[in-house]
Amino acid sequence: MRSVKSVVFIGLLLILQSSVFSRLSLFGVGPDLVLVAVVIFAVLNQDEKSTQFAAGTAFLQDLLSYGMYLNLVLKVAYTALINAMKKSFMGSEFFLAAVLLALFTLITFILTGIICPLLGGKPIDYPAWLLTVLIAMLYNLFFLPILFPILSNLSHD
Amino acid sequence: MTEFRPYRKKRSYLLAIIIILAAIFVSYSAFLNIIQLRSIMGTVAYPFEAVTTVVWKSTVGLPAFIVNLKDMLSENAKLRENLEETDTKLIILDQLAEENDRLKEALAFKRSQYRFSLCAAGVLGRVPTAWYSILSINKGSKDGIRLGMPVINQQGLIGKIIETSNFSSKVLLLIDRESAVVAADARSRVEGVVEGSGTEKLFMKYVGAEGEIKEGDLIVSSSLSSAFPAGLPIGTVSRAFKREHDIFYHVEIKPAVEFLSIETLFVIL
């Protein structure tokens, strides 16, 4: 039952991400619901399970996307990082998820900022890039309190 | 504050490393689009995405649609009002232009009819009866209108006053069955009596067979008439014939006056 719920949740998340939240972009930046979900799930669940969740969700996200499996690489790596640090963190899971989400959003943008020029993409306009990082962070943090209780229920089902 | 439970870290790290390496490998290999998975995923996701998009667009567009609909409705109502107003103004302008032309003609006619004392009047309406052809005019006994006075316009003889009140009068038209006027052919001077038929047609009776009358002749009021001044145009002969033993002509006359469109007329005082 929990697996079915998880699959439905992931499917819904991906569909919403690709069809709805892509339309809510501000300055070309929209929320990354998969990142929000992966971070929350990793904070709330066992290491192996969270890695599987991240791998599955990010893989599907990449399949709906184009090119490299970058989401898969980054989100599995973030999950591993969360798994490494969460035991030593003394605080609420929500707060940990918020901090990590902000941090990983920043890292994602930094990596993208580095990888894109390396792969021959457009050179980065840094003031605009900073603005987009800020918007992405706020967007993701906005969805954290919405997704957190849902994933919390899913984790403890 | 939540305590974290112990996890099987090593296995999960190994799994993560394998996944990451596999992802990087696949990203830079010929397996980028593994067994058309992207295509399959796109196909599977399409109906859900399409439905979600439609629902989303409808949800987002609904307030704007409602607002636009309201605006459109009010704009439509305003445009309709403007159109109606403009149409009404155009009709009034047309009427004013027609009235202006009519009054100009009437003025010219009145000036030309220096031999009569005329009282200009406007048509109030037609008396609502199928049996009589009667006009109601806006001049009455207060204006000097009396019974039997001839009524004319620039086209010719219209009829005579049959009833008066203080401020209005009734005119029996020449085309009424009750009307009769002694008339003459302006060319041959043969005389007869013009009578109405209740239609847009007059008949001239008692024109002697020995006389001369033909189609196109102008018929005017005769000097023998006691009710009407002589020389007022009545109409033109549209048909005139006599049979071998007839003692009178059968004469049909097309009235000079367009009785259906009379708006202004003059009463000869």
Side-chain angles (χ1 to χ4, degrees):
Chain A
M1 192 64 190
R2 189 180 165 186
S3 311
V4 174
K5 277 185 182 176
S6 297
V7 169
V8 171
F9 175 76
I10 291 168
L12 195 65
L13 206 69
L14 289 167
I15 297 296
L16 286 175
Q17 175 77 50
S18 63
S19 56
V20 174
F21 292 104
S22 57
R23 297 171 200 282
L24 292 175
S25 62
L26 199 63
F27 295 102
V29 186
D32 186 351
L33 294 183
V34 175
L35 178 64
V36 181
V38 163
V39 169
I40 296 168
F41 202 87
V43 168
L44 293 173
N45 288 276
Q46 293 175 9
D47 292 10
E48 205 175 321
K49 199 174 286 178
S50 59
T51 306
Q52 288 166 2
F53 178 85
T57 315
F59 181 61
L60 289 174
Q61 190 183 14
D62 276 330
L63 284 182
L64 283 172
S65 180
Y66 178 78
M68 292 173 63
Y69 289 84
L70 196 58
N71 282 304
L72 180 58
V73 173
L74 290 177
K75 275 143 197 173
V76 170
Y78 294 156
T79 305
L81 284 170
I82 293 167
N83 290 338
M85 69 176 74
K86 69 184 174 189
K87 201 177 176 184
S88 56
F89 183 79
M90 300 297 289
S92 76
E93 289 165 335
F94 183 84
F95 183 68
L96 176 63
V99 172
L100 290 172
L101 184 60
L103 181 70
F104 291 141
T105 306
L106 180 65
I107 291 170
T108 305
F109 271 80
I110 289 169
L111 288 174
T112 316
I114 294 166
I115 290 169
C116 280
L118 281 177
L119 294 176
K122 285 192 294 184
I124 300 290
D125 174 10
Y126 287 98
W129 180 79
L130 277 173
L131 181 69
T132 55
V133 171
L134 187 68
I135 292 167
M137 263 190 204
L138 291 172
Y139 248 146
N140 288 344
L141 288 171
F142 175 79
F143 283 98
L144 181 72
I146 298 166
L147 291 183
F148 194 89
I150 299 168
L151 282 162
S152 186
N153 283 336
L154 209 63
S155 304
H156 300 117
D157 205 358
Chain B
M1 302 290 273
T2 310
E3 283 293 322
F4 291 104
R5 290 166 288 174
Y7 302 103
R8 290 175 288 179
K9 284 204 175 296
K10 280 185 184 173
R11 224 173 113 177
S12 74
Y13 290 149
L14 189 66
L15 181 65
I17 289 164
I18 290 168
I19 290 168
I20 289 167
L21 287 174
I24 292 168
F25 171 74
V26 170
S27 294
Y28 288 97
S29 73
F31 302 104
L32 183 64
N33 190 2
I34 313 163
I35 55 167
Q36 300 294 316
L37 267 180
R38 279 201 160 121
S39 165
I40 294 165
M41 184 65 184
T43 310
V44 170
Y46 173 75
F48 298 103
E49 284 180 334
V51 169
T52 314
T53 304
V54 168
V55 171
W56 172 252
K57 278 185 175 174
S58 307
T59 311
V60 170
L62 191 64
F65 176 74
I66 290 167
V67 170
N68 281 344
L69 191 68
K70 210 174 171 183
D71 287 348
M72 279 164 65
L73 284 172
S74 63
E75 193 179 346
N76 193 24
K78 270 184 191 169
L79 287 172
R80 274 178 191 279
E81 274 176 25
N82 286 347
L83 189 64
E84 279 171 18
E85 197 181 323
T86 310
D87 280 349
T88 310
K89 280 180 181 172
L90 277 174
I91 289 166
I92 291 168
L93 277 174
D94 283 348
Q95 285 174 345
L96 284 173
E98 278 175 22
E99 193 178 352
N100 192 31
D101 290 343
R102 243 184 358 254
L103 289 172
K104 273 183 185 172
E105 281 178 32
L107 187 64
F109 173 71
K110 190 175 180 180
R111 281 177 180 159
S112 70
Q113 299 297 313
Y114 54 90
R115 58 190 172 129
F116 304 126
S117 175
L118 299 177
C119 173
V123 174
L124 290 175
R126 286 176 188 279
V127 173
T129 166
W131 310 112
Y132 296 101
S133 299
I134 297 168
L135 286 182
S136 175
I137 61 170
N138 62 358
K139 292 286 163 68
S141 54
K142 290 271 184 190
D143 304 291
I145 307 296
R146 300 284 179 266
L147 286 176
M149 284 182 167
V151 181
I152 58 170
N153 69 1
Q154 58 272 32
Q155 293 172 326
L157 182 62
I158 291 175
K160 64 178 180 181
I161 301 292
I162 55 165
E163 192 179 299
T164 60
S165 61
N166 280 339
F167 304 104
S168 69
S169 304
K170 288 191 173 66
V171 180
L172 183 71
L173 300 180
L174 206 57
I175 53 172
D176 191 275
R177 287 188 187 88
E178 301 284 316
S179 285
V181 53
V182 181
D185 185 315
R187 182 183 58 83
S188 65
R189 303 311 303 175
V190 292
E191 295 188 326
V193 176
V194 172
E195 292 178 356
S197 65
T199 64
E200 287 281 305
K201 196 187 281 182
L202 300 168
F203 292 98
M204 192 170 179
K205 292 182 177 175
Y206 316 120
V207 178
E210 70 281 4
E212 190 191 340
I213 190 165
K214 61 180 182 183
E215 284 178 25
D217 281 355
L218 176 68
I219 305 298
V220 295
S221 55
S222 166
S223 54
L224 295 176
S225 171
S226 57
F228 301 98
L232 295 173
I234 291 172
T236 49
V237 176
S238 58
R239 195 171 173 224
F241 66 93
K242 61 176 182 184
R243 292 185 189 91
E244 195 179 344
H245 303 291
D246 283 348
I247 53 171
F248 298 118
Y249 272 97
H250 295 271
V251 182
E252 286 178 18
I253 296 169
K254 183 178 181 293
V257 175
E258 290 175 26
F259 289 97
L260 292 175
S261 58
I262 298 169
E263 290 296 335
T264 311
L265 43 75
F266 299 92
V267 181
I268 300 175
L269 299 174

